[in-house]
Amino acid sequence: MSGVLAVLEQRDGALRKVSFEVVSAARRIAAARTASLEALVLAGAAVAEAAQAGKFGADRVVTLTHAAFARYAPEAGARVIAERVQREAYDVVLFPATAVGKDLAARVAAKLGVPLVADVTDFAVESAGLVAVRPVYAGKALLEVKVSKPPAVLSLRPNVFTPLEQPRTAKSETIAVDLPEGPGRVVVRELKAALAGAIDVGEAPVVISGGRGLREPANFKLLEDLARAFGGRAAVGASRAVVDAGWRPHADQVGQTGKTVSPPLYIAVGISGAIQHLAGMRTSKVIVAINKDKDAPIFKVADYGIVGDLFEILPMLTEEIKKIYG
Amino acid sequence: MKIAVCIKRVPDTETRVKVAADGRTLDESGVKFVVNPYDEFAIEEALRRKEQAGSGEVVVVSLGTQAAQETIRTALAMGADRGVLLQSDRIPSDGMLVARALAAELGPGSYDLLLFGKLAIDDYNQQVPVMVAELLGLPCVTAVTHLDIDGQNGVAEREVEGGVEVVEFPLPAVLSVDKGLNEPRYPALKGIMAAKKKPLDVKPVSFPATDLEVVSLVPPPERKEGRIVGEGPGAVPGLIRLLREEAKVL
């Protein structure tokens, strides 16, 4: 008997979308191994939505509650997860490779004294172990690694694994935990939310990035207008050049020293396509490029390109997108 | 204030990746190596903290081949006081092995702060700082974009999806730092000259077997050849149609 553990992520009592991606991927492993799949949530109080994990393939959904878990509690969170993995002898433990998940997974792996395979984009279940694929050099190459000894601890890149409904009759339980060693020395005092309606570049289904071709910071308004036309589904990203120039915050930077994104739709506007930018967005499902230089490298990776003046093209594109989502 | 900064020698961001004959590693011929860009923020932060305190020491530690001495010298040229190279003929893919080697060198109780870059732009493991902290029993905050330290207490900000976490922690601590924390200085000529005379200890390290086996390193799948839909705003309706009907993303 073996088991797979999927560690989910919640914020303010709502499961984040990436949680369903992780459960769906975990189901694949559980099916190949005829193993049971437990979905685990850490939260401040019972999470009504947690049972939803059953719809995506969990056999058991466990919510561990403690006041300290209302926000990310790195030390106590890692401790209760590592203890659970040891007690229940899970063979595979999956985390989302989010800001919190990456931090947490490394802590749990260290407590267990095992390797962590981070930011996985694909895997194969083999009899002798798990073979995982992860982008390295910002996606300029893929590294294939094999974990032969359980527990295999992996974090999965968001937006890569498709959430797949495969309902099980899941047993749900909420367990209030004691933290005899306290909530930990590292305390998240506050979570400052981004501007209302803003969506993170790393998570948005549509990313519209701008570069030097925008000419000046104020012109990013054109990209923001287009993003708004997508009805809250789009985020505005930026090339390194404009971030280094101080036009945009570094949180918006896409590329090797910024974020690596894989949205269903990526629109590059006025970005020539330096290799370090391409590295950050080449795994997007569909890439659209708008650039005045028909020889710009961005057109080599774009599925669809428009050559021309972005100041003329963008307002037109925004109007057309409004017709669809308005 | 005594600060250790862990840095890594990595291929420059402009590098075009070519796989070596073994099928598992990077072909390093013709590759330009640099200080990992995120580590520059860590070096800068350490120097500023020491300058503000008016005393202390900044020790730069790197695990890597002999060539990483040059990487350490760059940090010394920026102003760090001394360097330690944990020399090995390779850097394992298993971050836990790297963390154990670093933790053995950094020891408990030796430093007020252990600083790292958020991630190394070669292996993207993004785990070693946390693992070092766990091994040494120290508090740790990752991907820090803003930092205030008052005596033995720190407050850091870190970006999470759609927000910023404000995190309190006590010192000594391990921090990994992100772009945006500061603007790293360039080594001045005087610093470069001084760096040549600063102490750099070389200590050989070896690694035990790992349960993580590298199977292969391969180029990513080529993207299907795209097409230019047209020129100017007149091409927009055609683009919309393709995105709806062919790509099915709208």
Side-chain angles (χ1 to χ4, degrees), chain A residues 11 103 107 137 140 142 144 146 185 187 189-190 192 250 253 256-257 282 284 303-305 307, chain B residues 13 15 38 122-124 134 137 140 142 161 164 166 168 179 213 215-216 218 223 227 229 232 246:
Chain A
R11 196 179 287 172
D103 188 282
R107 289 174 194 270
Y137 305 103
K140 293 178 205 167
L142 301 173
E144 209 182 2
K146 184 170 179 173
R185 299 159 294 182
V187 178
R189 184 178 68 193
E190 185 188 352
K192 292 198 276 196
H250 82 276
Q253 185 184 326
Q256 192 163 5
T257 50
R282 60 171 298 142
S284 305
D303 300 282
Y304 306 110
V307 179
Chain B
T13 53
T15 303
Y38 290 102
D122 54 356
D123 64 25
Y124 267 69
E134 286 285 336
C140 175
T142 53
E161 294 79 6
V164 173
V166 183
E168 294 176 340
K179 189 171 180 173
E213 177 201 341
V215 180
S216 69
V218 294
R223 287 192 73 91
R227 68 182 110 151
V229 177
E246 191 178 86

Side-chain angles (χ1 to χ4, degrees), chain A residues 18-177:
Chain A
V18 71
S19 298
F20 301 116
E21 298 172 13
V22 174
V23 178
S24 301
R27 180 75 251 158
R28 235 170 84 194
I29 301 173
R33 291 268 175 86
T34 46
S36 68
L37 166 55
E38 176 180 311
L40 181 68
V41 191
L42 270 51
V47 174
E49 213 188 352
Q52 291 280 320
K55 218 162 80 182
F56 292 84
D59 296 304
R60 187 175 172 202
V61 186
V62 177
T63 308
L64 300 180
T65 61
H66 188 281
F69 293 157
R71 293 203 187 97
Y72 177 42
E75 295 181 341
R79 203 177 302 128
V80 299
I81 294 170
E83 280 167 6
R84 195 165 180 89
V85 172
Q86 277 168 330
R87 197 172 56 241
E88 309 274 329
Y90 291 107
D91 292 328
V92 181
V93 185
L94 300 184
F95 291 87
T98 53
V100 161
K102 281 190 265 202
D103 188 282
L104 184 59
R107 289 174 194 270
V108 171
K111 284 188 189 300
L112 298 170
V114 300
L116 162 63
V117 188
D119 213 19
V120 168
T121 54
D122 197 9
F123 59 77
V125 186
E126 296 185 352
S127 54
L130 207 59
V131 175
V133 177
R134 47 186 308 272
V136 289
Y137 305 103
K140 293 178 205 167
L142 301 173
L143 187 72
E144 209 182 2
V145 293
K146 184 170 179 173
V147 198
S148 42
K149 210 174 118 199
V153 181
L154 277 64
S155 68
L156 308 183
R157 178 177 289 191
N159 258 340
V160 171
F161 295 89
T162 313
L164 204 63
E165 289 200 17
Q166 34 203 339
R168 315 277 292 186
T169 32
K171 205 175 116 205
S172 287
E173 54 191 308
T174 298
I175 306 166
V177 293

Side-chain angles (χ1 to χ4, degrees), chain B residues 164-181:
Chain B
V164 173
E165 283 181 349
V166 183
V167 190
E168 294 176 340
F169 63 95
L171 264 56
V174 177
L175 304 175
S176 83
V177 304
D178 202 349
K179 189 171 180 173
L181 179 65

